[in-house]
Amino acid sequence: MPQISRETTEQILAATDIVDVIGSYIEVKRTGPAYKALCPFHNEKTPSFNINPHRQFFHCFGCGKSGDAITFVREYENLTFSDAVKKLATRAGITVVEEAVDPQEDRARRQRGKQLDLHREVAAFLHQMLFTRDAAHAREHLKGRGFGKEMAERWQIGWMPEDPRVFMDWAREKKLTGRDLVDSGIFVQKERGGIYVRFRDRLMIPIRNEHGDVIAFTGRQLRDDPRSGKYINSPETAVFKKSHVLFALERARKAILKESAVVMVEGQLDAICCHEQGIENTVASQGTAFTTNHAKLLRRYAKNVILCFDSDNAGLEAASKAFPILTAEGLPVKVARMPAGEDPDTFLRKHGADAFREMLANAADFFDFRIDRESVNGGLASLQQRSAFAKTCANLLSLIPDAVTRENMINHVATRLRIGVPELRDTVAREIRFAKNKPEPRDRNAPPEPEREEPVAMDPLVGYLCSLALHCAPAQDWLGEQYETLHEAAEDIEGVPVLECILSARPDPASPASVNAFLAGLKESYRLALHADSTFHVDPPEDWLGAVEEALARVSAKALLKRDARIDAELSRPDLTHAEMMPLLEQKKLIAHLISGLDQRFIFSDRFAPVKKAKPKSDFRPNRSGSRPQNNP
């Protein structure tokens, strides 16, 4: 695997403000010295997502997610660690130098980089071709749709010449190989050998990823040709996965966050037209079925979805297929009532942006939209028809994850259909039970899910010592001198290897970037264990020395008592010989001496845990003031 040095990671984190980073993705609000937000990693109505600007760290008390700016970007955008670091490095203007590299991973990374470079150069060339004499008909097509030169430049619209030799000559001049062009999907490999250009005499619309990189193209037919489709898209490649890309999302993200809603349209030109008219929270799918990945992508930015599809039966079917996917991700769905025969492009050209915004503002809840359509088509005239349609609604209602929202909608749908609420509620409940027993279909094209790392087991006292070592420099120095004591306890106390890693690396507690860079390079199971410990998220106490001495004494006593218990088990063996017994008794005597030598503030219970002698409010229970952890075995 490519390795980014800890020094580089620390430099990037030092130049990064976690509040600014997270605030560029979701809305955050200041609450005293910290910041709060609705967690983007699980559905919630009350903010439990906290950002600590002093430690440059986030933690959600709802789902347990926590980490630094790299962790947030990695989780939010579903990136690898290296890609998340590079994204933040670009933001901070820092060059990333990778050290050791796995050959296979390096080949894949270089291939992706080469493809991104190729697509960028091709997009620039095709854009230049749009303004040549031979592309006059392409410019006329844009003009006929109300688009001028400025729009073409903003979206880098291009034209692929009808004569393929024009593009091939340019590709040779740029030293682009046939293999690279076939891998990009711009060229097609013939079965009997040779290659040809996929797109000919087409308006070329670049498709970009969330970061704004060109990753594919859509070619729009300019002259009627029954042998070819109106639109041709790039095939899936190393950089382009249709189910993971929404057209114009790179432009729409900020507007979606601002409006708390996203407008979904079917066509790319529809999306472009919306943006050009100021409706900037608009995205479009890539001419494929709406997928779970699309819904997860939208949930990062939007709280509501407005479907703005064509008014024909195909548009209704598309909306009906999108609803269960979106609602499963906790996204409320509304449907804009598009006039018959219209799409967003034609509507905006005829009626203007204000009328379009009014239509979006009056968008109907999905169930109202379905009921209204069914009623217009005469499908709700009789009780029998309404009951049959209620079963269809029950199946869709069962998909709403929030119980309160689902119950409110059951009442609303029952009222609209003039049927009994209890009957509809029972039908929905049956659908939910049926869905629980039904195996989930697996997408054959989906990559296998990686094995989920689990945190290593960690004793609460060791977790507290780790927290002190990371956030208190004198405590870290003091613990570093107790390395032998800790090493001896490692055999009996869980989590000591994590503490040893901290003391070996010695990240600077005064520098959040140093601590977070260390954590970023730590084994995932170790990092998860640290984040899961409650004391990790509170400041160390003022009496750090008393806290660290007491915690270490308890760890030592706990280890000694566990060893003593093992010796007692050995001594109870019926076949134990005298020769075997004597060394065990000597060990037991030594352990008793060591225990008696510990701080006399402690007494020891039969549960192998030292317990402090009775003293008001001295029970190591963690709280927000940074007090010490309760000692449980």
Side-chain angles (χ1 to χ4, degrees), residues 245-532:
V245 178
L246 288 166
F247 182 77
L249 181 60
E250 80 283 355
R251 293 171 175 265
R253 288 188 303 179
K254 288 185 178 179
I256 293 171
L257 287 169
K258 181 180 178 181
E259 301 289 338
S260 296
V262 61
V263 178
M264 271 287 302
V265 297
E266 291 183 272
Q268 293 161 341
L269 287 175
D270 289 335
I272 291 174
C273 189
C274 287
H275 278 263
E276 290 297 301
Q277 294 284 348
I279 297 95
E280 297 179 346
N281 58 328
T282 306
V283 299
S285 58
Q286 298 297 332
T288 56
F290 194 77
T291 67
T292 300
N293 288 322
H294 288 139
K296 290 182 183 296
L297 203 55
L298 288 179
R299 189 170 67 84
R300 296 177 182 174
Y301 308 103
K303 295 179 182 177
N304 300 278
V305 178
I306 302 173
L307 302 179
C308 193
F309 296 161
D310 295 354
S311 58
D312 55 13
N313 288 332
L316 172 63
E317 185 179 354
S320 298
K321 288 181 177 178
F323 171 79
I325 299 170
L326 289 164
T327 200
E329 291 298 319
L331 288 167
V333 179
K334 290 187 175 184
V335 184
R337 293 187 173 95
M338 188 71 66
E342 299 276 20
D343 59 32
D345 180 20
T346 59
F347 185 95
L348 280 163
R349 280 189 280 153
K350 286 181 183 179
H351 307 289
D354 290 340
F356 191 82
R357 287 192 181 92
E358 184 178 353
M359 180 178 66
L360 295 178
N362 295 325
D365 176 84
F366 175 79
F367 287 99
D368 283 328
F369 172 77
R370 284 296 306 269
I371 292 169
D372 291 343
R373 283 293 294 262
E374 197 71 16
S375 179
V376 168
N377 294 333
L380 302 178
S382 68
L383 177 60
Q384 185 177 359
Q385 287 177 313
R386 294 197 299 275
S387 297
F389 186 68
K391 290 182 180 179
T392 301
C393 290
N395 176 264
L396 296 171
L397 286 164
S398 70
L399 301 173
I400 300 175
D402 183 68
V404 175
T405 304
R406 185 171 62 244
E407 178 62 23
N408 289 338
M409 196 53 64
I410 287 171
N411 283 279
H412 179 71
V413 170
T415 301
R416 289 287 319 266
L417 294 178
R418 289 176 288 156
I419 61 174
V421 173
E423 290 80 0
L424 181 58
R425 186 184 294 117
D426 290 343
T427 306
V428 172
R430 282 196 298 272
E431 291 287 346
I432 293 173
R433 288 194 297 270
F434 176 75
K436 285 181 179 178
N437 297 325
K438 184 180 178 181
E440 291 187 16
R442 176 167 173 79
D443 183 358
R444 294 181 180 179
N445 298 320
E449 292 189 6
E451 291 186 15
R452 187 176 178 180
E453 283 272 9
E454 294 294 333
V456 297
M458 181 178 288
D459 186 281
L461 288 167
V462 176
Y464 184 57
L465 289 174
C466 288
S467 179
L468 288 172
L470 284 171
H471 300 127
C472 178
Q476 184 187 98
D477 293 338
W478 190 89
L479 283 168
E481 296 174 0
Q482 317 301 318
Y483 196 85
E484 186 176 345
T485 302
L486 290 167
H487 190 70
E488 290 177 355
E491 183 181 350
D492 300 285
I493 306 299
E494 295 171 326
V496 172
V498 183
L499 179 56
E500 290 177 332
C501 280
I502 296 171
L503 298 176
S504 176
R506 296 180 65 81
D508 182 5
S511 168
S514 176
V515 172
N516 289 330
F518 164 75
L519 293 171
L522 203 58
K523 284 173 60 176
E524 185 73 0
S525 57
Y526 285 12
R527 187 179 66 82
L528 290 172
L530 288 171
H531 288 176

Side-chain angles (χ1 to χ4, degrees), residues 195-245:
I195 56 177
Y196 65 91
V197 181
R198 182 183 300 273
F199 309 95
R200 293 178 63 177
D201 190 23
R202 286 181 179 267
L203 199 68
M204 300 294 286
I205 304 170
I207 299 170
R208 301 174 185 271
N209 60 20
E210 283 183 88
H211 318 306
D213 303 311
V214 179
I215 55 175
F217 294 94
T218 290
R220 207 281 186 191
Q221 193 179 73
L222 293 171
R223 295 187 177 99
D224 289 337
D225 184 355
R227 298 169 300 173
S228 180
K230 183 183 287 187
Y231 290 94
I232 294 179
N233 293 317
S234 293
E236 294 204 341
T237 65
V239 296
F240 177 50
K241 306 297 179 190
K242 292 180 183 179
S243 64
H244 290 73
V245 178

Side-chain angles (χ1 to χ4, degrees), residues 572-597:
S572 64
R573 279 173 38 207
D575 60 339
L576 190 68
T577 65
H578 183 270
E580 293 172 324
M581 182 187 300
M582 294 310 296
L584 292 173
L585 291 173
E586 284 297 322
Q587 290 181 44
K588 192 170 176 62
K589 182 179 178 181
L590 175 61
I591 289 173
H593 174 71
L594 290 172
I595 291 175
S596 67

Side-chain angles (χ1 to χ4, degrees), residues 4 9 12-13 16 21 25 68-92 94 96 98 211 520:
I4 298 174
T9 305
I12 293 166
L13 288 171
T16 299
V21 170
Y25 291 93
D68 56 17
I70 296 172
T71 307
F72 181 87
V73 172
R74 182 181 179 183
E75 294 283 343
Y76 195 92
E77 298 203 21
N78 194 26
L79 301 176
T80 63
F81 172 79
S82 296
D83 287 342
V85 171
K86 291 172 187 175
K87 186 175 179 68
L88 289 176
T90 301
R91 181 187 177 106
I94 295 171
V96 174
E98 294 177 308
H211 318 306

Side-chain angles (χ1 to χ4, degrees), residues 101-115:
V101 177
D102 172 74
Q104 186 175 355
E105 174 64 24
D106 184 50
R107 278 194 300 272
R109 182 178 59 83
R110 282 191 284 115
Q111 174 66 10
R112 289 193 295 271
K114 185 185 290 186
Q115 284 296 316

